[in-house]
Amino acid sequence: MPEKSNRRLFLKGSALVPLSVASGALLTSIPAVAAAPIERIGGAKLKISLNAYSFSKALNDHILGRKKGLTLMELLDFCAEHNFDAIDPTGYFFPGYPGVPTDEYINNFKRRAFQLGLDISGTGVRNDFATPDEASRAADVQHVKEWIEVAARLGAPVIRVFAGPEQEGHSWDDVSEWMAADLRQCADYGKKFGVLVGVQNHGDMLKTAKQTLRMVEMVDSDWFGVIVDTGYFMTDDPYIDIAEVTPYAVNFQVKESPFGKESPIRTDLDRLVRIVCEQGYRGYLPIETLSLPGRPYDPFTLVPKFLAEVREAVSNTRC
C-alpha cells in the first residue's frame, strides 16, 4: 500500500500494551502503532510563543470585573516588550466566551499583533469528547467548529482541543471510539478553513505517548495532530513520551515541570529542546507558567524568567 494512500500505519505484529484506566473502568489493551510522521524539511526551526493561560487570573479578573486585571490587547504589548515571536490567545479570554468574538474585535486584535511583529501561533477551547452524553459531545463539536472559524479569521494555524477525562464504567477502547469520531468531524471542518486541529495530552484519556498516537491513528487525518504538553505525560520518564509524539506535533505547551505543575522537579530544558530539534520540529514552542496553591505567583516576573531559560536552552542546542 503506498504511504500516501493511508497516512496511519500499524506496526508489523503490533504488540499489545496493557494500560489501566480510571477506577471502575475496564482494563484495555492498546496496540502499539506507527503513524506516518509529519513530513518536514530543512532541519529544526523554533519560535517561542506565550500561551495566554499564564496570565489566567489577571485576564479573568478583567473579564469578570473583579479588578482592573489585564486585557488580551494589553497582553500583546507584554509579548512585544519581551520579544516573543508569537502569542497563543486562548479562547477563554476573548470577550463573550464561549460565544465567538465580533469581527471588529478579531480584526483589531490581528492588526495590533501585526503592528507589534507578533504571530498568532494558535488558540484553544474547552471541550469534553470523553463523556458518554452524546448530546453534550455534539454541542462541543459544534463549539469547536465555531472556534475553527474564529481561528481562521485570526490567522491562527492550529486550534487546541482536549480529549476529556476517563469515564468510570467505560473502557478506554469504548470511549476512544466515540472520541475519535468527534475529533474526525472537527478535523474535517478544520480542513475546510485551513486550520489544523491538535489534541493536547492532558493527563486525562491521553496519559501516554501510546494512547496519544493511538488517537492520531484512529482519527486518521492530515488535518489532525498533537499538541505536545510537556508537563502532562503521566509516565516514569515523560521525555521518552515527548520524543515519541514530537514527529506528529502541530504545536506545544512547554511547562516548568515534566511531572505536573505541583512537582518541584524543573524541566530539563536543554534535554527537551534537544529532543525537539533531533525530531526536526519546525514551529512554535508556546510556554505556559501556572499558579500553585501556597506559592506566590506573579506572571509578570515568572514568565520573563522562564522565557529566558527557554531561550538559553535553544541557544545551547543551536537549532
Side-chain angles (χ1 to χ4, degrees), residues 233-241 259:
F233 280 118
M234 314 300 283
T235 58
D236 292 337
D237 189 346
Y239 297 98
I240 294 175
D241 295 78
F259 296 105

Side-chain angles (χ1 to χ4, degrees), residues 17-300:
V17 182
L19 292 167
S20 57
V21 291
S23 176
L26 301 176
L27 186 69
T28 187
S29 295
I30 300 173
V33 297
I38 297 170
E39 183 179 354
R40 311 189 208 265
I41 60 174
K45 182 177 182 180
L46 308 181
K47 296 172 281 186
I48 304 176
S49 179
L50 173 67
N51 189 287
Y53 199 82
S54 301
F55 287 81
S56 178
K57 184 180 185 305
L59 290 164
N60 281 324
D61 281 346
H62 171 77
I63 291 168
L64 299 174
R66 295 186 296 216
K67 298 177 182 178
K68 178 180 180 296
L70 185 73
T71 69
L72 277 178
M73 293 293 187
E74 291 169 335
L75 190 56
L76 284 172
D77 293 346
F78 173 88
C79 289
E81 289 167 4
H82 294 278
N83 288 317
F84 277 94
D85 297 306
I87 185 173
D88 182 326
T90 313
Y92 323 156
F93 307 121
F94 281 85
Y97 184 86
V100 300
T102 65
D103 286 343
E104 180 182 15
Y105 188 92
I106 290 172
N107 292 341
N108 284 339
F109 189 86
K110 284 174 63 176
R111 175 179 56 82
R112 185 59 178 157
F114 176 76
Q115 290 173 339
L116 294 173
L118 294 166
D119 296 339
I120 298 172
S121 61
T123 188
V125 296
R126 293 190 185 97
N127 68 284
D128 178 3
F129 290 152
T131 175
D133 186 335
E134 188 174 351
S136 178
R137 295 200 316 272
D140 276 0
V141 168
Q142 180 59 33
H143 179 56
V144 173
K145 287 180 176 180
E146 291 170 354
W147 277 83
I148 283 172
E149 295 188 33
V150 172
R153 284 148 58 198
L154 279 169
V158 180
I159 187 167
R160 182 177 60 261
V161 301
F162 295 114
E166 292 175 326
Q167 299 295 312
E168 186 173 353
H170 294 272
S171 71
W172 197 97
D173 291 328
D174 289 342
V175 177
S176 66
E177 287 294 334
W178 65 63
M179 180 184 297
D182 292 338
L183 288 168
R184 193 178 305 113
Q185 283 192 61
C186 296
D188 289 345
Y189 201 75
K191 179 179 180 179
K192 294 179 182 179
F193 290 88
V195 176
L196 286 152
V197 175
V199 68
Q200 180 178 347
N201 59 288
H202 206 249
D204 44 19
M205 280 285 291
L206 306 183
K207 289 182 172 63
T208 69
K210 284 186 174 62
Q211 290 174 329
T212 305
L213 294 181
R214 177 59 178 152
M215 190 53 56
V216 171
E217 171 79 28
M218 293 175 73
V219 175
D220 191 18
S221 171
D222 289 335
W223 288 88
F224 181 76
V226 180
I227 307 291
V228 185
D229 188 330
T230 67
Y232 250 128
F233 280 118
M234 314 300 283
T235 58
D236 292 337
D237 189 346
Y239 297 98
I240 294 175
D241 295 78
I242 292 167
E244 288 180 2
V245 300
T246 294
Y248 316 95
V250 294
N251 219 327
F252 270 77
Q253 296 275 62
V254 177
K255 302 287 183 62
E256 296 171 88
S257 173
F259 296 105
K261 68 177 185 178
E262 295 186 7
S263 171
I265 301 173
R266 299 282 294 180
T267 297
D268 183 340
L269 290 170
D270 284 344
R271 182 181 179 186
L272 174 64
V273 172
R274 192 161 54 247
I275 288 169
V276 172
C277 289
E278 287 172 353
Q279 298 289 354
Y281 175 73
R282 298 177 65 86
Y284 298 101
L285 290 180
I287 66 172
E288 181 180 306
T289 60
L290 299 168
S291 61
L292 291 175
R295 182 184 83 166
Y297 181 73
D298 178 12
F300 291 96

